[in-house]
Amino acid sequence: DAGVTQSPTHLIKTRGQQVTLRCSPKSGHDTVSWYQQALGQGPQFIFQYYEEEERQRGNFPDRFSGHQFPNYSSELNVNALLLGDSALYLCASSRLAGIYEQYFGPGTRLTVT
Amino acid sequence: AQKVTQAQTEISVVEKEDVTLDCVYETRDTTYYLFWYKQPPSGELVFLIRRNSFDEQNEISGRYSWNFQKSTSSFNFTITASQVVDSAVYFCALSDRGSTLGRLYFGRGTQLTVWP
């Protein structure tokens, strides 16, 4: 049973560029959440997708957007990258989140130069 | 407002010592869930435990145990007879009814180093 997968593993982008990160949830899971983890900090909630809609959003600007596909996989898009966007981006999947535990993927390390 | 505080930034112990990681939380909801996750150097967050606010019974799983006390809003995690493989960052997290569909609020984490 495959766990949560994310791609790519690492990414280097230049300030002002755009980036797309991808996540495939654990088998049987229908909810995907995205978190940003800056160095030395705890993960911060970006947004959550359920039934292909954004259901909740954390305190992140509109430069951060996402999508969920019919197979429950998800993308995180960040436009107009800033140096401060450099972080580990974690995807978590769950079944009917809020009731069951969330399982995290290995993350995508984004470096903005 | 929801908040999780892990006051211990770093802890170092020698193998076989017991160690307790502290977690204090804040929420106005009466229904909420508490979690502990382990983050090894690889970066992936590994789920350890979930407790709901109505179950204050302490839990033991092998060398791991958790002490949940609503009176002090704490959910502490103890590792007995620590091992080098326990070295990681440990995060406490909270999800409450105000955050529908399970948004997690994380503490800043505690870096545990176990020396041989």
Side-chain angles (χ1 to χ4, degrees):
Chain A
D1 177 26
V4 180
T5 60
Q6 292 186 242
S7 63
T9 306
H10 294 88
L11 204 52
I12 299 175
K13 288 287 188 178
T14 303
R15 192 170 44 184
Q17 286 187 318
Q18 178 264 344
V19 68
T20 297
L21 310 181
R22 296 176 176 82
C23 171
S24 291
K26 184 178 170 65
S27 177
H29 286 185
D30 55 13
T31 304
V32 173
S33 302
W34 288 92
Y35 291 81
Q36 180 196 66
Q37 186 180 15
L39 199 62
Q41 304 292 319
Q44 297 292 316
F45 177 79
I46 302 174
F47 43 52
Q48 185 174 71
Y49 279 85
Y50 174 66
E51 294 184 327
E52 301 180 50
E53 290 188 12
E54 183 183 295
R55 298 290 179 161
Q56 285 193 89
R57 189 177 184 90
N59 188 26
F60 279 81
D62 292 344
R63 297 187 297 109
F64 290 77
S65 63
H67 188 77
Q68 185 178 36
F69 300 93
N71 67 353
Y72 308 120
S73 66
S74 177
E75 288 183 349
L76 163 65
N77 301 292
V78 187
N79 295 321
L81 284 167
L82 303 174
L83 296 179
D85 295 331
S86 296
L88 179 68
Y89 288 84
L90 295 162
C91 168
S93 78
S94 60
R95 194 163 54 90
L96 297 176
I99 303 175
Y100 303 104
E101 55 268 22
Q102 297 186 29
Y103 290 87
F104 284 79
T108 295
R109 174 72 64 184
L110 172 64
T111 302
V112 182
T113 61
Chain B
Q2 301 85 351
K3 186 179 180 181
V4 175
T5 301
Q6 294 180 254
Q8 304 152 310
T9 305
E10 296 181 27
I11 299 177
S12 288
V13 298
V14 177
E15 212 169 17
K16 297 184 183 178
E17 286 186 17
D18 298 347
V19 59
T20 296
L21 309 181
D22 297 334
C23 173
V24 174
Y25 63 91
E26 295 177 30
T27 176
R28 293 184 183 142
D29 276 351
T30 56
T31 301
Y32 52 89
Y33 296 89
L34 296 165
F35 303 79
W36 276 95
Y37 284 88
K38 174 182 180 180
Q39 188 175 44
S42 62
E44 182 171 347
L45 283 168
V46 177
F47 168 80
L48 296 177
I49 190 172
R50 179 192 67 140
R51 300 308 300 274
N52 71 58
S53 53
F54 297 107
D55 183 4
E56 286 192 73
Q57 191 172 13
N58 291 331
E59 183 159 337
I60 298 174
S61 176
R63 296 184 298 107
Y64 295 169
S65 63
W66 290 270
N67 183 297
F68 176 28
Q69 292 193 340
K70 288 178 74 171
S71 60
T72 56
S73 297
S74 65
F75 185 44
N76 296 338
F77 172 32
T78 297
I79 302 175
T80 302
S82 59
Q83 300 175 1
V84 173
V85 293
D86 295 327
S87 296
V89 181
Y90 290 86
F91 290 97
C92 180
L94 165 74
S95 176
D96 62 19
R97 204 165 46 176
S99 58
T100 55
L101 296 183
R103 168 180 177 171
L104 291 175
Y105 296 85
F106 284 86
R108 295 187 63 168
T110 297
Q111 170 72 61
L112 174 64
T113 303
V114 182
W115 299 99

PDB file of all heavy atoms in Angstrom, chain B residues 84-101:
ATOM      1  N   VAL B  84      19.239   5.656  19.983  1.00  0.00           N
ATOM      2  CA  VAL B  84      19.780   6.598  19.002  1.00  0.00           C
ATOM      3  C   VAL B  84      18.777   6.853  17.873  1.00  0.00           C
ATOM      4  O   VAL B  84      18.646   7.969  17.376  1.00  0.00           O
ATOM      5  CB  VAL B  84      21.124   6.096  18.440  1.00  0.00           C
ATOM      6  CG1 VAL B  84      21.600   6.984  17.299  1.00  0.00           C
ATOM      7  CG2 VAL B  84      22.189   6.043  19.545  1.00  0.00           C
ATOM      8  N   VAL B  85      18.026   5.820  17.494  1.00  0.00           N
ATOM      9  CA  VAL B  85      17.047   5.959  16.405  1.00  0.00           C
ATOM     10  C   VAL B  85      15.886   6.874  16.764  1.00  0.00           C
ATOM     11  O   VAL B  85      15.093   7.259  15.900  1.00  0.00           O
ATOM     12  CB  VAL B  85      16.490   4.588  15.965  1.00  0.00           C
ATOM     13  CG1 VAL B  85      17.578   3.762  15.331  1.00  0.00           C
ATOM     14  CG2 VAL B  85      15.833   3.871  17.143  1.00  0.00           C
ATOM     15  N   ASP B  86      15.769   7.234  18.044  1.00  0.00           N
ATOM     16  CA  ASP B  86      14.713   8.163  18.462  1.00  0.00           C
ATOM     17  C   ASP B  86      15.087   9.612  18.142  1.00  0.00           C
ATOM     18  O   ASP B  86      14.254  10.510  18.262  1.00  0.00           O
ATOM     19  CB  ASP B  86      14.436   8.035  19.959  1.00  0.00           C
ATOM     20  CG  ASP B  86      13.873   6.678  20.341  1.00  0.00           C
ATOM     21  OD1 ASP B  86      13.138   6.091  19.512  1.00  0.00           O
ATOM     22  OD2 ASP B  86      14.169   6.206  21.460  1.00  0.00           O
ATOM     23  N   SER B  87      16.321   9.846  17.762  1.00  0.00           N
ATOM     24  CA  SER B  87      16.764  11.202  17.440  1.00  0.00           C
ATOM     25  C   SER B  87      15.958  11.738  16.263  1.00  0.00           C
ATOM     26  O   SER B  87      15.929  11.141  15.179  1.00  0.00           O
ATOM     27  CB  SER B  87      18.254  11.212  17.090  1.00  0.00           C
ATOM     28  OG  SER B  87      19.044  10.824  18.197  1.00  0.00           O
ATOM     29  N   ALA B  88      15.296  12.864  16.494  1.00  0.00           N
ATOM     30  CA  ALA B  88      14.413  13.463  15.484  1.00  0.00           C
ATOM     31  C   ALA B  88      13.839  14.742  16.073  1.00  0.00           C
ATOM     32  O   ALA B  88      14.067  15.075  17.239  1.00  0.00           O
ATOM     33  CB  ALA B  88      13.277  12.505  15.119  1.00  0.00           C
ATOM     34  N   VAL B  89      13.060  15.437  15.256  1.00  0.00           N
ATOM     35  CA  VAL B  89      12.255  16.558  15.761  1.00  0.00           C
ATOM     36  C   VAL B  89      10.850  16.026  16.003  1.00  0.00           C
ATOM     37  O   VAL B  89      10.286  15.345  15.131  1.00  0.00           O
ATOM     38  CB  VAL B  89      12.221  17.731  14.772  1.00  0.00           C
ATOM     39  CG1 VAL B  89      11.395  18.878  15.346  1.00  0.00           C
ATOM     40  CG2 VAL B  89      13.629  18.201  14.438  1.00  0.00           C
ATOM     41  N   TYR B  90      10.309  16.329  17.152  1.00  0.00           N
ATOM     42  CA  TYR B  90       8.970  15.858  17.505  1.00  0.00           C
ATOM     43  C   TYR B  90       8.019  17.048  17.579  1.00  0.00           C
ATOM     44  O   TYR B  90       8.314  18.059  18.213  1.00  0.00           O
ATOM     45  CB  TYR B  90       8.996  15.117  18.847  1.00  0.00           C
ATOM     46  CG  TYR B  90       9.705  13.788  18.757  1.00  0.00           C
ATOM     47  CD1 TYR B  90      11.087  13.709  18.897  1.00  0.00           C
ATOM     48  CD2 TYR B  90       8.999  12.621  18.500  1.00  0.00           C
ATOM     49  CE1 TYR B  90      11.750  12.500  18.793  1.00  0.00           C
ATOM     50  CE2 TYR B  90       9.646  11.398  18.394  1.00  0.00           C
ATOM     51  CZ  TYR B  90      11.021  11.350  18.539  1.00  0.00           C
ATOM     52  OH  TYR B  90      11.678  10.143  18.427  1.00  0.00           O
ATOM     53  N   PHE B  91       6.883  16.898  16.911  1.00  0.00           N
ATOM     54  CA  PHE B  91       5.890  17.962  16.868  1.00  0.00           C
ATOM     55  C   PHE B  91       4.602  17.514  17.541  1.00  0.00           C
ATOM     56  O   PHE B  91       4.111  16.398  17.309  1.00  0.00           O
ATOM     57  CB  PHE B  91       5.562  18.341  15.421  1.00  0.00           C
ATOM     58  CG  PHE B  91       6.664  19.051  14.712  1.00  0.00           C
ATOM     59  CD1 PHE B  91       7.538  18.352  13.886  1.00  0.00           C
ATOM     60  CD2 PHE B  91       6.839  20.414  14.863  1.00  0.00           C
ATOM     61  CE1 PHE B  91       8.561  19.000  13.223  1.00  0.00           C
ATOM     62  CE2 PHE B  91       7.861  21.079  14.206  1.00  0.00           C
ATOM     63  CZ  PHE B  91       8.727  20.370  13.389  1.00  0.00           C
ATOM     64  N   CYS B  92       4.063  18.415  18.327  1.00  0.00           N
ATOM     65  CA  CYS B  92       2.732  18.263  18.889  1.00  0.00           C
ATOM     66  C   CYS B  92       1.791  19.114  18.039  1.00  0.00           C
ATOM     67  O   CYS B  92       2.167  20.198  17.569  1.00  0.00           O
ATOM     68  CB  CYS B  92       2.741  18.747  20.337  1.00  0.00           C
ATOM     69  SG  CYS B  92       1.173  18.631  21.203  1.00  0.00           S
ATOM     70  N   ALA B  93       0.578  18.633  17.805  1.00  0.00           N
ATOM     71  CA  ALA B  93      -0.360  19.363  16.951  1.00  0.00           C
ATOM     72  C   ALA B  93      -1.773  19.251  17.498  1.00  0.00           C
ATOM     73  O   ALA B  93      -2.113  18.305  18.216  1.00  0.00           O
ATOM     74  CB  ALA B  93      -0.309  18.839  15.519  1.00  0.00           C
ATOM     75  N   LEU B  94      -2.595  20.223  17.130  1.00  0.00           N
ATOM     76  CA  LEU B  94      -3.976  20.326  17.598  1.00  0.00           C
ATOM     77  C   LEU B  94      -4.911  20.508  16.405  1.00  0.00           C
ATOM     78  O   LEU B  94      -4.593  21.237  15.470  1.00  0.00           O
ATOM     79  CB  LEU B  94      -4.109  21.538  18.529  1.00  0.00           C
ATOM     80  CG  LEU B  94      -5.497  22.065  18.861  1.00  0.00           C
ATOM     81  CD1 LEU B  94      -6.201  21.136  19.827  1.00  0.00           C
ATOM     82  CD2 LEU B  94      -5.402  23.470  19.460  1.00  0.00           C
ATOM     83  N   SER B  95      -6.053  19.841  16.453  1.00  0.00           N
ATOM     84  CA  SER B  95      -7.101  20.054  15.472  1.00  0.00           C
ATOM     85  C   SER B  95      -8.413  20.160  16.245  1.00  0.00           C
ATOM     86  O   SER B  95      -8.716  19.276  17.050  1.00  0.00           O
ATOM     87  CB  SER B  95      -7.156  18.884  14.487  1.00  0.00           C
ATOM     88  OG  SER B  95      -8.237  19.035  13.589  1.00  0.00           O
ATOM     89  N   ASP B  96      -9.150  21.241  16.029  1.00  0.00           N
ATOM     90  CA  ASP B  96     -10.391  21.368  16.786  1.00  0.00           C
ATOM     91  C   ASP B  96     -11.583  21.557  15.864  1.00  0.00           C
ATOM     92  O   ASP B  96     -11.462  21.673  14.660  1.00  0.00           O
ATOM     93  CB  ASP B  96     -10.285  22.487  17.824  1.00  0.00           C
ATOM     94  CG  ASP B  96     -10.061  23.851  17.187  1.00  0.00           C
ATOM     95  OD1 ASP B  96     -10.341  24.012  15.989  1.00  0.00           O
ATOM     96  OD2 ASP B  96      -9.598  24.742  17.914  1.00  0.00           O
ATOM     97  N   ARG B  97     -12.751  21.609  16.471  1.00  0.00           N
ATOM     98  CA  ARG B  97     -13.983  21.648  15.677  1.00  0.00           C
ATOM     99  C   ARG B  97     -14.101  22.970  14.934  1.00  0.00           C
ATOM    100  O   ARG B  97     -14.781  23.064  13.932  1.00  0.00           O
ATOM    101  CB  ARG B  97     -15.181  21.438  16.592  1.00  0.00           C
ATOM    102  CG  ARG B  97     -16.405  20.902  15.895  1.00  0.00           C
ATOM    103  CD  ARG B  97     -17.387  20.399  16.882  1.00  0.00           C
ATOM    104  NE  ARG B  97     -17.585  21.311  17.983  1.00  0.00           N
ATOM    105  CZ  ARG B  97     -18.475  21.110  18.952  1.00  0.00           C
ATOM    106  NH1 ARG B  97     -19.232  20.044  18.916  1.00  0.00           N
ATOM    107  NH2 ARG B  97     -18.581  21.947  19.943  1.00  0.00           N
ATOM    108  N   GLY B  98     -13.420  23.989  15.447  1.00  0.00           N
ATOM    109  CA  GLY B  98     -13.439  25.268  14.756  1.00  0.00           C
ATOM    110  C   GLY B  98     -12.722  25.205  13.431  1.00  0.00           C
ATOM    111  O   GLY B  98     -12.986  25.988  12.530  1.00  0.00           O
ATOM    112  N   SER B  99     -11.807  24.274  13.305  1.00  0.00           N
ATOM    113  CA  SER B  99     -11.090  24.088  12.050  1.00  0.00           C
ATOM    114  C   SER B  99     -11.670  22.875  11.356  1.00  0.00           C
ATOM    115  O   SER B  99     -11.128  21.787  11.402  1.00  0.00           O
ATOM    116  CB  SER B  99      -9.594  23.897  12.309  1.00  0.00           C
ATOM    117  OG  SER B  99      -9.382  22.790  13.154  1.00  0.00           O
ATOM    118  N   THR B 100     -12.784  23.093  10.704  1.00  0.00           N
ATOM    119  CA  THR B 100     -13.475  21.969  10.078  1.00  0.00           C
ATOM    120  C   THR B 100     -12.572  21.250   9.090  1.00  0.00           C
ATOM    121  O   THR B 100     -11.719  21.854   8.456  1.00  0.00           O
ATOM    122  CB  THR B 100     -14.718  22.461   9.338  1.00  0.00           C
ATOM    123  OG1 THR B 100     -14.315  23.489   8.421  1.00  0.00           O
ATOM    124  CG2 THR B 100     -15.749  23.010  10.298  1.00  0.00           C
ATOM    125  N   LEU B 101     -12.766  19.993   8.976  1.00  0.00           N
ATOM    126  CA  LEU B 101     -11.989  19.135   8.101  1.00  0.00           C
ATOM    127  C   LEU B 101     -10.527  19.046   8.511  1.00  0.00           C
ATOM    128  O   LEU B 101      -9.673  18.763   7.691  1.00  0.00           O
ATOM    129  CB  LEU B 101     -12.106  19.582   6.637  1.00  0.00           C
ATOM    130  CG  LEU B 101     -13.516  19.487   6.049  1.00  0.00           C
ATOM    131  CD1 LEU B 101     -13.505  19.877   4.591  1.00  0.00           C
ATOM    132  CD2 LEU B 101     -14.083  18.091   6.204  1.00  0.00           C
TER     133      LEU B 101
END
